[in-house]
Amino acid sequence: PAASAGKGAIQRDLILTPQGQSIRLDHLIFEVGKSAIDPSSYDELDEIAAMLNDSPEIIIQLEGHTDNAGSAQANMKLSQERVDAVKKYLLSKKVNKNQVKTKAFGGTMPIAKGNSPEERNLNRRVEMRVLSGTN
């Protein structure tokens, strides 16, 4: 999500995202194999929290994905733990719990099919899908 400041106003591009479309949270960083959010991710999450607080009609779904290394069961658990951690962070910023849904996909929905480090990194992601409230 991009935020640009100009004359004290913040533009929230997320509101312009079509309903049903997902956005990869590119600045959301976790330690490999862990669900703890790296503090460098807070700016992006704070922007999402501000957008949700400013627009209580918007409902999002956080979707967790892993690469396909390791067991499918462990990857599903990790992807759920990561979206739960993001939801917990957003709720700590006073976002209404009814605005944030979660869904774990583990390694079942890769965006890159190879096994190079770069391709695995692309598959390890959290996406945000706008479910309602933007139309």
Side-chain angles (χ1 to χ4, degrees), residues 31-78:
E31 205 175 305
V32 174
K34 306 285 183 196
S35 62
I37 299 169
D38 187 278
S40 66
S41 306
Y42 294 162
D43 285 348
E44 181 174 46
L45 295 178
D46 289 345
E47 184 64 25
I48 293 167
M51 183 266 306
L52 291 170
N53 284 325
D54 288 350
S55 304
E57 70 282 3
I58 293 179
I59 298 172
I60 63 166
Q61 178 169 278
L62 298 168
E63 300 176 352
H65 302 271
T66 64
D67 60 27
N68 60 3
S71 87
Q73 184 176 5
N75 284 336
M76 191 64 73
K77 182 176 186 280
L78 178 60

Side-chain angles (χ1 to χ4, degrees), residues 13-133:
D13 295 335
L14 295 175
I15 292 175
L16 303 177
T17 301
Q19 197 164 294
Q21 184 175 325
S22 65
I23 302 167
R24 181 184 168 134
L25 303 180
D26 289 322
H27 302 290
L28 181 55
I29 300 167
F30 298 95
E31 205 175 305
V32 174
K34 306 285 183 196
S35 62
I37 299 169
D38 187 278
S40 66
S41 306
Y42 294 162
D43 285 348
E44 181 174 46
L45 295 178
D46 289 345
E47 184 64 25
I48 293 167
M51 183 266 306
L52 291 170
N53 284 325
D54 288 350
S55 304
E57 70 282 3
I58 293 179
I59 298 172
I60 63 166
Q61 178 169 278
L62 298 168
E63 300 176 352
H65 302 271
T66 64
D67 60 27
N68 60 3
S71 87
Q73 184 176 5
N75 284 336
M76 191 64 73
K77 182 176 186 280
L78 178 60
S79 64
Q80 185 65 56
E81 289 171 351
R82 287 180 170 176
V83 292
D84 287 345
V86 175
K87 180 176 181 174
K88 181 178 178 183
Y89 182 87
L90 294 174
L91 297 183
S92 78
K93 298 297 179 179
K94 309 296 184 220
V95 170
N96 182 321
K97 67 180 180 180
N98 297 323
Q99 286 182 271
V100 184
K101 313 289 183 203
T102 62
K103 187 163 186 163
F105 290 97
T108 65
M109 296 183 65
I111 54 176
K113 301 290 185 192
N115 283 321
S116 73
E118 295 80 16
E119 289 168 311
R120 285 181 184 235
N121 188 47
L122 284 173
N123 291 331
R124 292 189 299 263
R125 67 198 188 279
V126 172
E127 295 177 337
M128 181 184 76
R129 185 176 308 276
V130 178
L131 297 179
S132 65

